Amino acid sequence: MNDRQLVAAAAINLFIAVAAGAFGAHGLKAVLSEPMLAIWHTAVTYQMVHALGLFAIALLLPRLPGRLLAWSGGLMLAGIVLFSGSLYLLALTGVRVLGAITPLGGTAFLAAWALLGWRAMAR
């Protein structure tokens, strides 16, 4: 992914995270149980943090060119979809098997941050 694509992905995900947070606080409060609202909140939080990570990677791409940051951005975006997406669906549907997808997103997040750190240390 290039810097413009990463900025666009970050902006879209930040928009979705803000909307999902508001929807959870106002629209789902009367519908979901407290544990499911907590799951929803976790999804929003991780989406927000990692969308900001996408912005950081986009800003670093011109300074630290190469494939590692592009991979990091792609993995971070995949992590948002898998981690937050599976938690949103779990909270809305109660289908527990969706929780099996969440660790894949967490692994993508870890790999994304590791690649970012690796690239920052490389010459």
Side-chain angles (χ1 to χ4, degrees):
M1 298 184 80
N2 64 40
D3 55 344
R4 291 174 62 128
Q5 291 168 325
L6 288 170
V7 168
I12 290 165
N13 274 284
L14 287 164
F15 178 92
I16 292 168
V18 170
F23 182 59
H26 302 289
L28 295 177
K29 196 169 193 170
V31 178
L32 296 181
S33 66
E34 279 299 315
M36 290 300 165
L37 278 174
I39 289 170
W40 186 271
H41 178 71
T42 299
V44 169
T45 302
Y46 273 74
Q47 184 172 11
M48 182 74 67
V49 167
H50 289 89
L52 292 172
L54 286 174
F55 265 130
I57 292 168
L59 294 174
L60 289 170
L61 264 174
R63 271 190 83 186
L64 301 171
R67 291 188 176 145
L68 287 181
L69 282 186
W71 272 95
S72 178
L75 285 166
M76 201 162 290
L77 183 57
I80 291 170
V81 171
L82 294 171
F83 187 91
S84 294
S86 66
L87 290 181
Y88 288 135
L89 288 173
L90 171 60
L92 290 174
T93 67
V95 176
R96 294 274 179 201
V97 72
L98 291 167
I101 299 168
T102 309
L104 297 174
T107 302
F109 287 150
L110 291 170
W113 290 114
L115 286 177
L116 175 57
W118 185 9
R119 178 58 188 102
M121 298 299 288
R123 294 196 183 248

